[in-house]
Amino acid sequence: MTIEKTLSVQKREGSGKGPAGRTRTQDMIPGVFYTAKGDNIAVQAPALPLEKMYTEMGRTAVFNLEIDDNGTKTVHPVMFWEVQKHPYKKAFTHVDFYGVDLDKEVKVDVPIEFVGVARGVKLGGVMETYRESVRLCSKPLDMPKKVTIDVTDMGINDSVTVETLALPENVKAVFDKNFAIVSVFSKSKDAAEAAE
């Protein structure tokens, strides 16, 4: 698997609110690149390409970060670590990039997508979801963008737990105790819980 996407950024001089504010007025978003070795480098990214990359990649996919330091360019495989957005405008205000070693596993919270209508719901039951994401561990390029759970075959009193989650090869869920992600109950949920 190769990394197809590249985001070009510039090394940023100065830190703190003053320089960061000036950066934002130039349609550049201040950010920090945390290297796989633990160093951090202040950078600034053009707003539109950054937002487009985040929409496409989310927090689970690897892309190349090309850093221009006064004409000297270096390229690093990264993932989005944290993105801060303006409270009421949709604009980004700060971004953190996390440098990855493609041969070492990373842990990432991956969003869950539920598809289908549960058989138990068609029979009058109620479906409850407990998680919007699940923490997975894999090498960076093996990390799925999302986990899809097809609930079509779930009957009343069926659950999908983190242990039974169908995951791609070389990907595993990270958890201390097994927990339910989605369950289907009869309408009288209290009775179902009492029966358990």
Side-chain angles (χ1 to χ4, degrees), residues 107-110 133-137 162 172-175 179:
K107 293 175 184 173
V108 176
D109 291 334
V110 176
S133 65
V134 62
R135 182 157 290 186
L136 301 181
C137 178
V162 68
K172 53 186 183 281
V174 180
F175 58 95
F179 56 82

Side-chain angles (χ1 to χ4, degrees), residues 6 15 20 29 51-52 58 89-91 111 115 118-119 121 167 169 172 191:
T6 298
S15 58
I29 307 302
E51 289 169 20
K52 186 179 175 197
K89 297 178 190 172
K90 287 189 175 175
V115 297
R119 189 163 42 85
V121 170
L167 294 171
E169 203 177 343
K172 53 186 183 281

Side-chain angles (χ1 to χ4, degrees), residues 2-184:
T2 56
I3 302 172
E4 295 174 4
K5 304 277 183 183
T6 298
L7 178 68
S8 297
V9 301
Q10 296 168 339
K11 192 168 179 185
R12 176 165 55 95
E13 300 303 327
S15 58
K17 287 190 173 175
R22 285 193 292 277
T23 296
R24 281 191 281 272
T25 60
Q26 301 161 357
D27 269 345
M28 300 290 278
I29 307 302
V32 178
F33 164 51
Y34 295 91
T35 72
K37 294 175 182 171
D39 301 322
N40 51 37
I41 299 168
V43 296
Q44 56 189 26
L48 284 174
L50 172 67
E51 289 169 20
K52 186 179 175 197
M53 183 71 80
Y54 186 72
T55 302
E56 284 182 31
M57 310 309 268
R59 294 188 184 194
T60 63
V62 179
F63 59 97
N64 281 321
L65 190 70
E66 182 185 75
I67 301 175
D68 184 345
D69 182 1
N70 290 322
T72 305
K73 295 184 178 180
T74 54
V75 177
H76 312 268
V78 300
M79 300 171 98
F80 282 107
W81 187 248
E82 190 173 351
V83 170
Q84 295 169 15
K85 295 186 181 179
H86 194 279
Y88 52 88
K89 297 178 190 172
K90 287 189 175 175
F92 287 20
T93 56
H94 191 273
V95 60
D96 288 337
F97 303 100
Y98 173 63
V100 294
D101 181 331
L102 298 180
D103 295 320
K104 288 186 179 172
E105 291 185 333
V106 292
K107 293 175 184 173
V108 176
D109 291 334
V110 176
I112 298 172
E113 177 186 59
F114 300 96
V115 297
V117 178
R119 189 163 42 85
V121 170
K122 290 180 180 174
L123 296 171
V126 179
M127 186 174 93
E128 289 208 8
T129 58
Y130 307 111
R131 302 283 172 129
E132 292 181 354
S133 65
V134 62
R135 182 157 290 186
L136 301 181
C137 178
S138 75
K139 288 184 179 175
L141 292 177
D142 291 333
M143 189 66 69
K145 192 166 185 179
K146 62 185 177 185
V147 174
T148 301
I149 298 177
D150 187 345
V151 300
T152 308
D153 292 333
M154 290 181 69
I156 289 173
N157 295 330
D158 282 350
S159 293
V160 174
T161 65
V162 68
E163 272 186 353
T164 60
L165 207 53
L167 294 171
E169 203 177 343
N170 303 322
V171 178
K172 53 186 183 281
V174 180
F175 58 95
D176 293 325
K177 284 184 178 174
N178 191 24
F179 56 82
I181 294 172
V182 56
S183 299
V184 177

